[in-house]
Each structure stands twice: as C-alpha cells, then as structure tokens.
Amino acid sequence: MADPSDDYEIAGELYSAEEIRLKVEELAKRINEDYADRAPLLLIGILKGAFIFLADLARLIEVPVQFDFMALSSYGSATKTSGVVRIRKDLDVEISGRHVLIVEDIIDTGLTLSYLQRNLFARGAASVEICALLNKRAANKVDVPIKYEGFSIPDDFVVGYGLDYAERYRNLPYIATLKK
Ligand code: PRP
C-alpha cells in the first residue's frame, strides 16, 4: 500500500528536545503557581497528538492532579463553517465543579479547541483553560484564549513530539518541518 508519508522528508529542526524541555518546564512552573489553591486539577489530554507533551508536562506538575483523555475529529468542511467537532472518545469522569486544563499539541484554525472549551463549560466545569505547546497564530480562524502557550509557530507543516504526518514521526524527540 502506498504510504503518503514516503513523499515527504524532514526539512529541518524547528525546536530541539532541549528547547522543548525548557519550555515545558516554564509552562509547568506557571501551572503549579496558578493551581496551588485550585487542586485537584484535572488535565485532559487530547489524543493522539498531545500524548508526549502531556507525559512530560505531567511529570513536572506538583499540585494534586488527575487525568482524563478525549479524542476528537472534525467533520472536515462542516467544521469550518459550524465549528462542530465529533467526539470519538469522551471523558470517563464528570467535570461539574472541576478545574480543567486542556492539554493540546497544536492549535491551527482553533475550531477544535473553541468548540471543546464551550462544550466543557456547558458540563459545569468551574474553569476550563487551555495549554497548547504550539500555536499557528496566522492560521487561527477564531480567537481561542490560550492561557499557557508554548511556541507561536509559522504556518508550516510540523511533525514530531507527538505530531504526525500520515501517522508517522510522532516519536521524534524534537519538532521538525517537513518538505516534499
Ligand atoms: C490536531 C491537534 C488539534 C487539532 C487542531 O489534531 O491535535 O486537536 O488538530 O486543529 P484546529 O485548530 O484546526 O481545530 P489532529 O486532528 O491532527 O489529530 P491527532 O492529534 O490525532 O494527530
């Protein structure tokens, strides 16, 4: 079977493993300060891309914390007009009254996170904040309030540290750009 990722290769490193490590430390420090009096914090990882970022971030969180996961997929062009996404795996826990922090690898149009934040608020969460490692600000179509943002990146295709192209490259320890 033809693998579409065969047509692409790594163009260059955008952020090294060390740069990412320092950024994750910085974000965790802010989260520890902000949630000191709002524990237990519920971290919600968005599959699949956030799994590596969440694993690194989680090990630096010092306040009492619990975890859950969601998997979402967009309806393609329907998402672009309605902003509605399909929940492929929902939370296992009730979040009414909980302080929730969504952990995401990348914000592109912002439609997924904008929908999700509204959806979690509607379930009665006490607070719903967003922690995203990467934000393609130039591609944002809606204004998503990202409280904890790692890097603002150009509108290029990036892979590694959880991010894929055709399910490849998620395990790279750094973030790279792709070329044909
Ligand atoms: C990526 C990312 C976000 C979404 C952002 O997931 O993890 O969930 O796209 O896009 P948006 O801002 O345009 O809504 P993807 O659909 O690639 O799934 P994956 O995490 O399983 O790779």
Side-chain angles (χ1 to χ4, degrees), residues 127-162:
S127 66
V128 183
E129 303 289 359
I130 295 170
C131 176
L133 183 64
L134 307 174
N135 184 13
K136 279 190 191 176
R137 282 190 203 161
N140 290 175
K141 291 192 168 138
V142 285
D143 190 23
V144 189
I146 306 168
K147 185 148 187 194
Y148 307 98
E149 179 182 293
F151 302 104
S152 173
I153 62 165
D155 194 5
D156 293 327
F157 205 95
V158 293
V159 294
Y161 200 71

Side-chain angles (χ1 to χ4, degrees), residues 5-12 159 168-169 177-180:
S5 64
D6 288 347
D7 296 339
Y8 286 83
E9 61 182 6
I10 300 295
V159 294
R168 237 179 110 181
Y169 304 115
T177 49
L178 273 193
K179 70 177 179 200
K180 221 171 168 66

